[in-house]
Amino acid sequence: VAKSSYKWMRLYKDRTAVERANSRLDVSFEFENHTIRGQMKMSMRVTLAFILMLSLAVGWTKQGRPDLIMSLVKSS
């Protein structure tokens, strides 16, 4: 399905929160092409990435900006 089609947009909206979090790990935190060796190291880095995502969400909420909860970078 082409990314510019309406069907792709509809399917993209139906993704679950877990799929979005996994996508963020792959793309934003670059775990898709990693050079980490060992399950313990990988587990620690993934845990730190999730802690960072949750910390940013809490920070944006405390600042009264819940619209930026899903962003890694301040947009305004």
Side-chain angles (χ1 to χ4, degrees):
V1 179
K3 283 189 175 183
S4 60
S5 68
Y6 289 111
K7 183 177 180 180
W8 184 86
M9 285 192 237
R10 183 175 41 82
L11 291 172
Y12 189 77
K13 285 182 186 178
D14 290 339
R15 295 188 315 158
T16 63
V18 172
E19 290 172 325
R20 291 178 192 274
N22 288 339
S23 174
R24 179 166 285 186
L25 284 176
D26 284 346
V27 178
S28 299
F29 290 100
E30 299 178 357
F31 282 109
E32 191 168 13
N33 298 317
H34 65 84
T35 57
I36 302 166
R37 295 181 57 96
Q39 186 174 357
M40 285 182 62
K41 286 181 184 178
M42 183 58 134
S43 183
M44 176 58 77
R45 300 242 177 127
V46 170
T47 301
L48 289 173
F50 278 127
I51 289 171
L52 176 64
M53 283 193 280
L54 291 171
S55 299
L56 285 169
V58 168
W60 286 124
T61 303
K62 285 185 177 182
Q63 288 185 0
R65 297 294 311 266
D67 54 316
L68 295 175
I69 284 177
M70 295 302 295
S71 69
L72 293 173
V73 180
K74 185 175 178 181
S75 63
S76 60

